[in-house]
């Protein structure tokens, strides 16, 4: 029954639209209180280096532990906060939490592995991102290399000149800047050409496809070769299986992040993971 299925589909779609609208209203209504009440927390996902056989970095990923809706993943609220501007404050909260964590790690263990944070495109319109970051380094007595900044492609299409200037300025102050989700958008190559970044994070869509498509593999190998020729770093995102890992290693990738090694962990879990992997990565599959 064609008409019936159409109606079913329609009402389903309609309902999910309404649900999305309600969810967005809830998100906007609760965000201020959530920040105040520390319902946002920072999880850390290890970045592993195969050659060195150890954890060389981590990425900070925000989570929202909502009192009635439970754990809300960032994909549900980041875009809402980018539209209403709240992301600027949330990002600063995350950066501050990361610096506090880095200082604690430094005091406890004497060594620090760098942590990267996501930087929303909105910061490239504000003029005080650099001052805020420099203030954090002073407050927590950290070197700029310890805080890596991940920026994504969409920011570049918005405002290429402003972004290029920001990136240059950040790097002059010693920050490490990485292009996030590299290859997922339309301006990857332009960005690579125009932005003097330290490295890229290869989007996980590549990793997902390399097993199935020879073309994806060819493109991936070319990207790896190109990035190396530019003397930049490359972190592969979304490594989930041993086969993917073996393939990536065979084409010269060293730094990897993904569920194969670890999901994003709470601060405490992450510190334990570091200790457990001190002698080497050796994952049990
Ligand atoms: P992203 O920056 O590309 O972060 C990587 C995402 O991939 C994370 O999702 C991570 O949990 C997920 N991931 C890691 N390994 C695997 C894997 O092996 N398989 C699969 N399928 N996924 C994997 P998450 O935590 O849900 O974050 C989603 C996005 O939200 C992030 O993508 C980032 O763009 C944004 N985001 C997260 N935290 C922040 C933040 O503090 N500030 C801003 N502005 N954006 C954030
Ligand atoms: Mg990222
Ligand atoms: Mg990102
Ligand atoms: Mg990414």
């Amino acid at each position: 029954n064609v008409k019936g299925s159409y109606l079913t589909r329609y009402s389903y779609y309609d309902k999910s639209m309404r649900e999305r609208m309600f969810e967005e209203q809830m998100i906007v209504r609760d965000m201020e209180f959530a920040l105040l009440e520390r319902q946002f927390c920072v999880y850390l996902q290890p970045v592993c280096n195969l050659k060195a056989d150890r954890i060389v970095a981590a990425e900070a990923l925000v989570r929202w532990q909502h009192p009635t809706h439970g754990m809300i993943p960032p994909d549900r609220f980041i875009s809402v906060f980018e539209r209403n501007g709240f992301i600027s404050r949330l990002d600063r909260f995350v950066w501050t939490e990361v610096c506090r964590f880095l200082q604690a790690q430094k005091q406890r263990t004497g060594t620090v592995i760098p942590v990267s944070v996501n930087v929303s495109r909105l910061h490239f319109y504000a003029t005080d991102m650099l001052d805020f970051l420099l203030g954090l380094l002073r407050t927590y007595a950290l070197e700029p290399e310890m805080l890596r900044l991940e920026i994504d492609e969409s920011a570049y299409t918005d405002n290429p000149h402003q972004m290029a200037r920001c990136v240059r300025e950040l790097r002059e102050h010693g920050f490490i800047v990485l292009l996030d989700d590299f290859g997922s958008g339309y301006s990857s190559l332009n960005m690579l050409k125009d932005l003097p970044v330290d490295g890229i994070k290869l989007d996980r869509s590549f990793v997902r496809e390399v097993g199935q498509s020879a073309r994806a593999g060819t493109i991936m190998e070319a990207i790896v070769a190109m990035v190396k020729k530019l003397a930049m770093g490359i972190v592969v995102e979304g490594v989930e299986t041993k086969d993917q890992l073996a393939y990536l290693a065979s084409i010269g990738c060293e730094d990897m992040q993904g569920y194969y090694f670890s999901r994003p962990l709470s601060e405490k879990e992450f510190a334990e993971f570091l200790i457990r992997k001190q002698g080497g990565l050796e994952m049990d599959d």
Side-chain angles (χ1 to χ4, degrees):
N1 182 320
V2 174
K3 199 179 169 196
S5 70
Y6 170 78
L7 283 175
T8 321
R9 270 221 324 268
Y10 180 79
S11 64
Y12 168 79
Y13 185 63
D14 193 47
K15 195 169 148 205
S16 86
M17 287 271 283
R18 281 161 60 92
E19 270 168 11
R20 250 181 307 180
M21 208 180 69
F22 284 131
E23 185 178 275
E24 183 158 339
Q25 281 170 356
M26 176 279 285
I27 284 170
V28 173
R29 186 194 64 209
D30 294 351
M31 63 187 190
E32 295 278 349
F33 186 68
L35 191 60
L36 209 70
E37 288 291 300
R38 303 183 68 87
Q39 289 170 16
F40 293 106
C41 57
V42 176
Y43 271 52
L44 296 164
Q45 187 177 33
V47 175
C48 297
N49 182 287
L50 287 188
K51 222 174 185 174
D53 196 29
R54 62 184 189 87
I55 299 151
V56 288
E59 174 174 8
L61 296 158
V62 73
R63 300 286 180 265
W64 184 352
Q65 186 60 59
H66 193 283
T68 51
H69 298 275
M71 187 77 96
I72 311 176
D75 284 337
R76 304 258 290 282
F77 55 82
I78 296 285
S79 61
V80 179
F81 293 165
E82 282 190 326
R83 267 179 274 131
N84 69 16
F86 187 70
I87 192 68
S88 303
R89 285 166 58 205
L90 182 60
D91 274 357
R92 286 173 185 221
F93 169 78
V94 171
W95 305 345
T96 308
E97 284 291 288
V98 166
C99 287
R100 184 192 48 68
F101 171 77
L102 287 170
Q103 187 187 45
Q105 275 288 96
K106 197 172 159 187
Q107 285 168 353
R108 214 175 323 132
T109 66
T111 54
V112 172
I113 64 157
V115 174
S116 64
V117 294
N118 288 283
V119 176
S120 164
R121 60 164 86 181
L122 252 65
H123 298 284
F124 296 104
Y125 294 97
T127 48
D128 55 351
M129 164 169 57
L130 179 64
D131 289 339
F132 184 83
L133 288 170
L134 292 173
L136 279 180
L137 297 185
R138 273 194 304 274
T139 307
Y140 294 94
L142 299 168
E143 316 298 317
E145 309 83 53
M146 295 172 182
L147 195 64
R148 298 183 178 177
L149 308 171
E150 295 190 12
I151 57 181
D152 49 51
E153 302 196 341
S154 54
Y156 185 71
T157 0
D158 289 356
N159 199 342
H161 296 295
Q162 172 74 1
M163 188 155 154
R165 229 192 36 221
C166 272
V167 168
R168 226 166 266 129
E169 215 174 33
L170 289 164
R171 292 192 66 227
E172 274 162 20
H173 284 84
F175 291 101
I176 308 285
V177 179
L178 306 174
L179 284 185
D180 202 0
D181 305 331
F182 183 84
S184 66
Y186 297 104
S187 47
S188 314
L189 293 181
N190 275 327
M191 276 183 88
L192 207 55
K193 180 164 62 64
D194 298 338
L195 289 185
V197 293
D198 297 276
I200 66 160
K201 298 197 69 171
L202 189 67
D203 194 64
R204 64 170 181 269
S205 58
F206 284 99
V207 180
R208 212 185 308 129
E209 282 165 51
V210 281
Q212 293 122 42
S213 138
R215 292 175 73 91
T218 304
I219 292 171
M220 178 114 156
E221 285 164 35
I223 292 176
V224 173
M226 176 177 68
V227 168
K228 285 195 168 167
K229 225 166 181 172
L230 291 168
M232 296 181 351
I234 179 166
V235 177
V236 184
E237 299 190 299
V239 181
E240 293 181 355
T241 69
K242 199 167 192 159
D243 287 346
Q244 290 170 342
L245 177 109
Y247 168 75
L248 291 164
S250 79
I251 63 167
C253 297
E254 289 179 21
D255 288 343
M256 300 180 199
Q257 177 181 344
Y259 296 164
Y260 177 74
F261 298 101
S262 170
R263 296 195 169 249
L265 304 169
S266 71
E267 246 182 53
K268 187 169 168 285
E269 291 168 334
F270 179 74
E272 287 162 5
F273 190 79
L274 275 184
I275 293 170
R276 209 161 61 238
K277 298 292 172 188
Q278 248 166 6
L281 293 172
E282 53 171 307
M283 310 301 302
D284 25 62
D285 313 279

